[in-house]
Amino acid sequence: MTKILFLALLSGSLIWGLITIGVNPITAGPLQTLALLYILLISVPFWPIFYLEFIEFYKAMRDQRSEYMKTFYESQSETIVGLSASAIVLIFIYYESSPSYSWSAIDIAGLGFPLYAIAFLNFFKLSRLKTEKIKSNALSKLILMPLSCTGLIFAAWISIKNTNGKFLPYQSIWIQLSIFFNSFWFLITSAKILYFAKNGKIEIPEKMIAAIPDIGQKRLDIQKLKKEAESWNKD
């Protein structure tokens, strides 16, 4: 069932994204190719990844993951619960409001803004972390911090266009959800990297990786990843 939902989210978000951006993969020109790359690399993958991360969080809270990862997800529980509560409150407000819902609102995407900021702070902490296993912080300073900052700037820019009425309702929803799912990935990934770095131990999410269907590409070798993680953990 997990693999079916993964494929449904992946294919659904891809089709929706192509319609939203108005890209024909067959006849795409230079600008449309960039838009297509945005859909394929920055938006679509994070829809099913959000679902898998939610499952991991739920399983960890029910003691169906290692104690090590349960501790990690517990450290993120306040943020996740806060996001869920905010979403419920927003839904209630719009449901009770007399004016009709404005599709140019940035409520969904707005939930993602602080997540990008938290991710940036996590990467900043990582850049200042010095341990026996971490000799250089170049990755965090040169790649991870700029990426999270770029995500926030892009989300703000696209949200401004949305509030100015540049998008139709179906476009607005897809764009806002994509921003939120992308920001959530940044949050969890940055927190995981920082958690692993501080504790000097990496744990491979075997069940999460196993839930990703083989879509014609070579599957990730879980055993190889485990060996590499164990090697790093022992160093």
Side-chain angles (χ1 to χ4, degrees), residues 95-166:
Y95 179 78
E96 292 295 327
S97 298
S98 53
S100 59
Y101 178 79
S102 172
W103 296 106
S104 62
I106 60 169
D107 42 13
I108 303 174
L111 292 173
F113 294 162
L115 304 190
Y116 283 119
I118 295 173
F120 179 85
L121 292 175
N122 285 338
F123 289 138
F124 176 74
K125 292 176 184 177
L126 182 65
S127 71
R128 299 173 63 86
L129 186 65
K130 295 289 185 180
T131 68
E132 293 182 358
K133 294 182 179 181
I134 301 177
K135 306 299 182 182
S136 173
N137 302 111
L139 176 65
S140 181
K141 292 179 179 178
L142 300 179
I143 299 178
L144 300 179
M145 288 174 63
L147 274 178
S148 57
C149 188
T150 300
L152 177 57
I153 293 172
F154 177 79
W157 174 74
I158 204 75
S159 295
I160 291 173
K161 291 177 69 69
N162 186 44
T163 55
N164 288 331
K166 300 294 184 181

Side-chain angles (χ1 to χ4, degrees), residues 48-63:
I49 288 175
F50 173 82
Y51 164 68
L52 292 182
E53 285 289 2
F54 180 81
I55 294 297
E56 286 295 297
F57 172 76
Y58 175 76
K59 296 289 187 180
M61 293 298 97
R62 293 180 61 85
D63 297 320

Side-chain angles (χ1 to χ4, degrees), residues 8-225:
L9 285 169
L10 187 67
S11 57
S13 60
L14 174 60
I15 295 171
W16 193 353
L18 291 174
I19 295 173
T20 295
I21 305 297
V23 175
N24 185 334
I26 300 176
T27 61
L31 290 178
Q32 285 193 324
T33 300
L34 289 176
L36 183 61
L37 289 175
Y38 164 73
I39 294 173
L40 295 176
L41 301 179
I42 302 177
S43 299
V44 169
F46 299 100
W47 288 58
I49 288 175
F50 173 82
Y51 164 68
L52 292 182
E53 285 289 2
F54 180 81
I55 294 297
E56 286 295 297
F57 172 76
Y58 175 76
K59 296 289 187 180
M61 293 298 97
R62 293 180 61 85
D63 297 320
Q64 296 180 23
R65 295 294 184 264
S66 69
E67 192 64 30
Y68 183 63
M69 292 311 298
K70 180 182 179 181
T71 301
F72 165 73
Y73 281 108
E74 283 179 342
S75 70
Q76 302 302 307
S77 60
E78 290 184 2
T79 302
I80 295 175
V81 171
L83 278 172
S84 302
S86 298
I88 293 172
V89 170
L90 282 173
I91 292 172
F92 176 77
I93 290 174
Y94 281 111
Y95 179 78
E96 292 295 327
S97 298
S98 53
S100 59
Y101 178 79
S102 172
W103 296 106
S104 62
I106 60 169
D107 42 13
I108 303 174
L111 292 173
F113 294 162
L115 304 190
Y116 283 119
I118 295 173
F120 179 85
L121 292 175
N122 285 338
F123 289 138
F124 176 74
K125 292 176 184 177
L126 182 65
S127 71
R128 299 173 63 86
L129 186 65
K130 295 289 185 180
T131 68
E132 293 182 358
K133 294 182 179 181
I134 301 177
K135 306 299 182 182
S136 173
N137 302 111
L139 176 65
S140 181
K141 292 179 179 178
L142 300 179
I143 299 178
L144 300 179
M145 288 174 63
L147 274 178
S148 57
C149 188
T150 300
L152 177 57
I153 293 172
F154 177 79
W157 174 74
I158 204 75
S159 295
I160 291 173
K161 291 177 69 69
N162 186 44
T163 55
N164 288 331
K166 300 294 184 181
F167 305 115
L168 296 172
Y170 73 90
Q171 295 174 314
S172 175
I173 296 174
W174 182 84
I175 290 170
Q176 291 193 69
L177 285 173
S178 295
I179 288 174
F180 174 71
F181 294 149
N182 181 269
S183 66
F184 186 83
W185 177 84
F186 265 101
L187 169 73
I188 295 298
T189 300
S190 65
K192 276 184 183 178
I193 294 175
L194 184 61
Y195 179 73
F196 292 160
K198 283 183 174 180
N199 290 279
K201 178 184 176 183
I202 297 175
E203 184 168 311
I204 303 300
E206 296 181 51
K207 294 184 178 180
M208 181 175 174
I209 295 175
I212 300 175
D214 184 359
I215 316 177
Q217 300 293 328
K218 183 178 179 181
R219 288 188 59 82
L220 289 172
D221 189 335
I222 297 178
Q223 295 305 317
K224 182 179 179 181
L225 291 175

